Amino acid sequence: MIIAEQRSEGSALGIDRDIFLQTIQNDWPTAKAFLKNLVEDNSFTLNPEGVRKNSETIVRQFASFNFSTRVLPSTLHGAGEHLILDSGGGGIPVLLVSHLDTVYPPEEQAAGYPGWDDLNNRIQGPGTYDIKGGTVAMWLMLRCLRQHRPELFENYRWVLAWNAAEERLCADFSSGVLQHLSSEPLACLVFEGDNRRQDGHEVICGRSGLAHFRLCVHGRSAHSGNSHSTGVNAIVRISELVRQIAGLTNYERFTTVNVGLIRGGITTNRVPDYAEILFEVRYRDREHFEETRLALDALQVTWEADHSRCAVILETVHEIPAWVEAPGSLALARFWQSAGQSCGHPVTLGIRSGLSDANFFSSHVQTLDGLGPRGGNAHSVVKNGERLRITEFVDQESFLTKSLINTIALVDLLASANGDGMPAY
């Protein structure tokens, strides 16, 4: 489906924004308590019990909507279950997406002091920004929509979905949710955090693609003293390749190559006959990614020719497609920009090198990301000896302003698609 240009008739721009904002402000104390409950229960990707507790907290918080509840197993070993809340009905689906998991293991969160820190306008703690704050923003938006535009709320089928293993970006979540839907959604709205630091807000209409690679070098083992000259040290050989591989980074083309892991060898008194590196390539331009892939192949062939006593094997572990700026996503973004302008909080469009569920959904549905509140320091921990602080934070005030923008934009989008009971595509 392609979203139509914004129409003036029935536009949300004429709605009393003060009423929307007052409702969101009234709901904020409850929303803040909801966020605190989510944050204090650790939901590391491989902590299924904590993921389940977060899922139960969400189900309770959304209970007044009377949505049906469904869980889907994750294909990632050791992960929890994905969550779907569904209003049902025969209306066109609107898909809202968040996730349950964080990157902080239970022991790390337990060592963090404190797990929840309310610092005036800044709330600090694990998952506050990525992405539990987004789940709270979703609740604030739907509460306001149902209260003030019940005719629009009732006319659509609301499907709310939470990935249990988004931090590992498994594709089973998006495929499972899309199979759950009986028809193509009007839009997929993803509630990852707002990356804007100040002076307005941001929505995301594109994300980099990602490819993981493994490169293995097979050398020849030998005694590290008596037969050192007969050995071929795989660690030394692979180290020669690391700098060349990392050198394929091209910031002007938004392609980064990061060697993240190197391993090999068993003991110091033996020439190691095996070493491997794991690295990733992030890209926005598929053509440049293919050029980088050819450069890696050429590097492998050339290097083997120059080092005939070694075998080099390069393999692609997995790949996640880039989400490029599509007409439908840009059309969706214009509703958010118009809403931001109408209430004095300008909205810019962003493209990120970080990935999200939007990378998967955008291949099937017109998608917009970054609908969560403003914040920062995602995945960040500061250590001082044995003391540890999780520095991830979210901006309290942005819950109000971003939820106001989200509600206005959503009302305008639904009204534009609902003029004659069908989407205006």
Side-chain angles (χ1 to χ4, degrees), residues 18 38 97 110 123 163 173 197 208 219 223 229 255 295 316 320 322 340 360 378 406:
D18 291 341
L38 291 174
V97 173
I123 299 173
N163 190 343
F173 170 69
R197 288 292 175 263
S208 292
H223 189 284
S229 63
T255 299
T316 303
I320 298 170
F360 295 107
N406 287 344

Short mmCIF file of all heavy atoms in Angstrom, two decimals, residues 18 38 97 110 123 163 173 197 208 219 223 229 255 295 316 320 322 340 360 378 406:
data_model
loop_
_atom_site.label_atom_id
_atom_site.label_comp_id
_atom_site.label_asym_id
_atom_site.label_seq_id
_atom_site.Cartn_x
_atom_site.Cartn_y
_atom_site.Cartn_z
N ASP A 18 -4.67 21.38 22.76
CA ASP A 18 -4.59 21.51 24.22
C ASP A 18 -5.31 20.36 24.92
O ASP A 18 -4.89 19.90 25.97
CB ASP A 18 -5.19 22.84 24.66
CG ASP A 18 -4.35 24.04 24.22
OD1 ASP A 18 -3.15 23.81 23.92
OD2 ASP A 18 -4.87 25.15 24.17
N LEU A 38 8.46 -1.75 34.11
CA LEU A 38 9.15 -2.42 33.02
C LEU A 38 10.66 -2.41 33.23
O LEU A 38 11.35 -3.42 33.01
CB LEU A 38 8.82 -1.73 31.69
CG LEU A 38 7.39 -1.86 31.15
CD1 LEU A 38 7.22 -0.99 29.91
CD2 LEU A 38 7.06 -3.31 30.83
N VAL A 97 4.79 -1.47 16.71
CA VAL A 97 5.85 -2.42 17.04
C VAL A 97 6.79 -1.86 18.10
O VAL A 97 7.21 -0.69 18.02
CB VAL A 97 6.65 -2.79 15.77
CG1 VAL A 97 7.87 -3.64 16.11
CG2 VAL A 97 5.76 -3.52 14.76
N ALA A 110 21.71 -5.88 38.13
CA ALA A 110 21.74 -5.96 39.59
C ALA A 110 22.92 -5.17 40.16
O ALA A 110 22.83 -4.60 41.25
CB ALA A 110 21.81 -7.42 40.05
N ILE A 123 15.21 10.36 33.19
CA ILE A 123 15.08 9.08 33.87
C ILE A 123 16.16 8.16 33.32
O ILE A 123 16.24 7.94 32.11
CB ILE A 123 13.69 8.45 33.66
CG1 ILE A 123 12.60 9.36 34.22
CG2 ILE A 123 13.63 7.08 34.31
CD1 ILE A 123 11.20 8.89 33.89
N ASN A 163 8.74 -7.77 20.05
CA ASN A 163 9.76 -8.76 19.74
C ASN A 163 10.49 -9.16 21.02
O ASN A 163 10.95 -8.29 21.77
CB ASN A 163 10.75 -8.17 18.73
CG ASN A 163 11.71 -9.18 18.15
OD1 ASN A 163 11.89 -10.26 18.68
ND2 ASN A 163 12.34 -8.82 17.04
N PHE A 173 10.36 -12.90 14.08
CA PHE A 173 9.33 -12.03 14.66
C PHE A 173 8.49 -11.38 13.58
O PHE A 173 7.26 -11.48 13.59
CB PHE A 173 9.99 -10.97 15.54
CG PHE A 173 9.05 -9.89 16.01
CD1 PHE A 173 8.04 -10.16 16.92
CD2 PHE A 173 9.18 -8.58 15.54
CE1 PHE A 173 7.17 -9.16 17.35
CE2 PHE A 173 8.33 -7.58 15.96
CZ PHE A 173 7.32 -7.87 16.87
N ARG A 197 18.64 15.20 20.04
CA ARG A 197 19.11 15.57 21.37
C ARG A 197 18.32 16.74 21.97
O ARG A 197 18.08 16.80 23.16
CB ARG A 197 20.59 15.92 21.32
CG ARG A 197 21.47 14.70 21.11
CD ARG A 197 21.44 13.80 22.35
NE ARG A 197 22.19 12.58 22.14
CZ ARG A 197 21.66 11.43 21.79
NH1 ARG A 197 20.36 11.33 21.62
NH2 ARG A 197 22.39 10.34 21.64
N SER A 208 20.45 1.39 7.97
CA SER A 208 21.49 0.64 7.26
C SER A 208 21.16 -0.84 7.21
O SER A 208 20.44 -1.37 8.06
CB SER A 208 22.84 0.82 7.95
OG SER A 208 23.30 2.15 7.83
N GLY A 219 46.64 -22.39 9.17
CA GLY A 219 48.09 -22.40 9.01
C GLY A 219 48.67 -23.78 9.24
O GLY A 219 48.10 -24.78 8.80
N HIS A 223 56.08 -26.96 17.09
CA HIS A 223 56.65 -26.60 18.38
C HIS A 223 57.15 -25.16 18.30
O HIS A 223 57.80 -24.76 17.32
CB HIS A 223 57.81 -27.55 18.71
CG HIS A 223 58.31 -27.41 20.10
ND1 HIS A 223 59.11 -26.36 20.51
CD2 HIS A 223 58.13 -28.20 21.20
CE1 HIS A 223 59.40 -26.50 21.79
NE2 HIS A 223 58.83 -27.63 22.24
N SER A 229 60.22 -22.59 12.74
CA SER A 229 60.34 -22.19 11.34
C SER A 229 59.49 -23.03 10.40
O SER A 229 59.19 -22.60 9.28
CB SER A 229 61.81 -22.27 10.89
OG SER A 229 62.28 -23.62 10.96
N THR A 255 29.40 3.35 4.56
CA THR A 255 29.71 1.93 4.73
C THR A 255 30.78 1.79 5.79
O THR A 255 31.85 2.40 5.68
CB THR A 255 30.20 1.31 3.41
OG1 THR A 255 29.19 1.42 2.41
CG2 THR A 255 30.56 -0.15 3.60
N ALA A 295 35.47 -6.61 -3.11
CA ALA A 295 36.79 -6.28 -2.59
C ALA A 295 37.26 -7.31 -1.57
O ALA A 295 38.44 -7.67 -1.52
CB ALA A 295 36.77 -4.88 -1.97
N THR A 316 29.73 -15.75 4.59
CA THR A 316 28.70 -14.84 5.08
C THR A 316 27.87 -15.57 6.12
O THR A 316 27.29 -16.62 5.83
CB THR A 316 27.79 -14.37 3.93
OG1 THR A 316 28.59 -13.76 2.92
CG2 THR A 316 26.76 -13.37 4.43
N ILE A 320 21.06 -8.77 6.91
CA ILE A 320 19.79 -8.09 7.14
C ILE A 320 19.71 -6.95 6.14
O ILE A 320 20.63 -6.13 6.05
CB ILE A 320 19.70 -7.55 8.58
CG1 ILE A 320 19.78 -8.72 9.58
CG2 ILE A 320 18.42 -6.75 8.78
CD1 ILE A 320 19.93 -8.28 11.01
N ALA A 322 19.02 -3.53 4.02
CA ALA A 322 18.89 -2.11 4.36
C ALA A 322 17.45 -1.67 4.14
O ALA A 322 16.74 -2.20 3.29
CB ALA A 322 19.83 -1.28 3.50
N GLY A 340 4.20 18.02 14.00
CA GLY A 340 5.20 18.73 14.79
C GLY A 340 5.15 20.23 14.56
O GLY A 340 5.24 21.02 15.50
N PHE A 360 13.05 -5.28 8.71
CA PHE A 360 12.31 -6.43 8.20
C PHE A 360 10.92 -6.04 7.71
O PHE A 360 10.50 -6.43 6.62
CB PHE A 360 12.19 -7.50 9.28
CG PHE A 360 13.50 -8.11 9.69
CD1 PHE A 360 14.07 -7.81 10.91
CD2 PHE A 360 14.17 -8.98 8.84
CE1 PHE A 360 15.29 -8.36 11.28
CE2 PHE A 360 15.39 -9.55 9.20
CZ PHE A 360 15.95 -9.24 10.43
N ALA A 378 22.06 4.50 24.65
CA ALA A 378 21.57 3.13 24.53
C ALA A 378 22.73 2.15 24.63
O ALA A 378 23.81 2.38 24.10
CB ALA A 378 20.85 2.97 23.19
N ASN A 406 2.67 12.24 17.98
CA ASN A 406 2.21 10.94 17.50
C ASN A 406 0.70 10.87 17.36
O ASN A 406 0.17 10.35 16.37
CB ASN A 406 2.68 9.83 18.45
CG ASN A 406 4.17 9.55 18.37
OD1 ASN A 406 4.84 9.95 17.42
ND2 ASN A 406 4.69 8.87 19.37
#
